[in-house]
Amino acid sequence: MAMTRHVLIVAGSDSSGGAGVTRDVETIAALGLKSCVAVTAVTAQTHQSVEWIEYVPPGLVAAQMRAALAANSVSAIKIGMLGTTGVIAEAAAVLRDHPDIPVVLDPVLAASSGGTLIMEDAIAALRSHLMPLCRIVTPNLPELAVLTGSATPPDEACACRKGEELSRTVRTAVLVKGGHARGSEAVDLLVQPDRPALRFEAPRLPRKMRGTGCMLSSAIAASLALGASLEESVRNAKKFVFNTLANQSEISATWDDEQAAG
Ligand code: PLP
């Protein structure tokens, strides 16, 4: 019996529906693939604050991943919020047993509300134990700053240099997301060891949005699962995220100032 292609999502839940597993499943379904999940944390969040986090025990995260991989034909893995060093170590151990499945890591450190989503001591583990096992890592500018121990890059040239530094250190491709920069275009930079950086542009949408990092990384994973190259996958994913957000006037990934105020 032919098995349907799946993307395994390893991520946290967000009760607001703005980000996390919900956003990942929606994205992967919209691209025609099935999902299976390993939940890493349960969070109580609104769009304005992170109110509670319960981290799932590392062994249970690994057990979910192994069961999902045993039950399905998994063609790509998307990883989001991991939270603790223990979960990172267990997830890395599972990935080492499946070296042929491409892994997309969104290195989630905090919600846009400001609430922290990872233990301080887990950031080094993310960099040294997990990133080298991934096909691509997708930091935004604040995440890139933390991961390289520097200030938020003030311009595109600096963002590119910092992306190259991270890519060299973790020996994998890095997509530096320019969503937090200024300007009419949102520019993402794909940096790969021993290759020139590639630029991907889309018009910047004048709205506050949540879950865009989850959507982009899930869309890259879905495209890799369908057999596209890394460059094609980034291009397809960026287009998909832009079109989805631009064509929806009222979705839970966006909220205007009036709603945010109260
Ligand atoms: N909450 C969870 C569980 C997430 O996985 C993420 C991002 O991946 C976030 C919150 C952060 O999303 P946002 O930046 O949209 O707040």
Side-chain angles (χ1 to χ4, degrees), residues 12-14 19-20 43 45 81 106 108 110-113 117 209-211 214:
S13 72
D14 168 0
T43 75
Q45 292 187 60
M81 175 185 179
D106 181 13
V108 175
S112 0
S113 63
L117 297 174
M209 285 171 277
R210 295 199 54 225
C214 303

Side-chain angles (χ1 to χ4, degrees), residues 11 18-21 23-24 27 78-81 104-110 112 137-141 143 175 177-180 188 209-221 237-238 240-242 245 253:
V21 170
R23 184 65 69 219
D24 297 326
T27 303
K78 176 250 147 90
I79 302 184
M81 175 185 179
V104 180
L105 172 67
D106 181 13
V108 175
L109 304 182
S112 0
V137 180
T138 64
N140 59 31
L141 294 177
E143 288 160 354
L175 183 69
K177 298 177 295 191
H180 289 73
D188 296 348
M209 285 171 277
R210 295 199 54 225
T212 53
C214 303
M215 289 172 78
L216 187 75
S217 51
S218 291
I220 295 172
K238 181 129 172 121
F240 170 82
V241 171
F242 175 79
L245 298 174

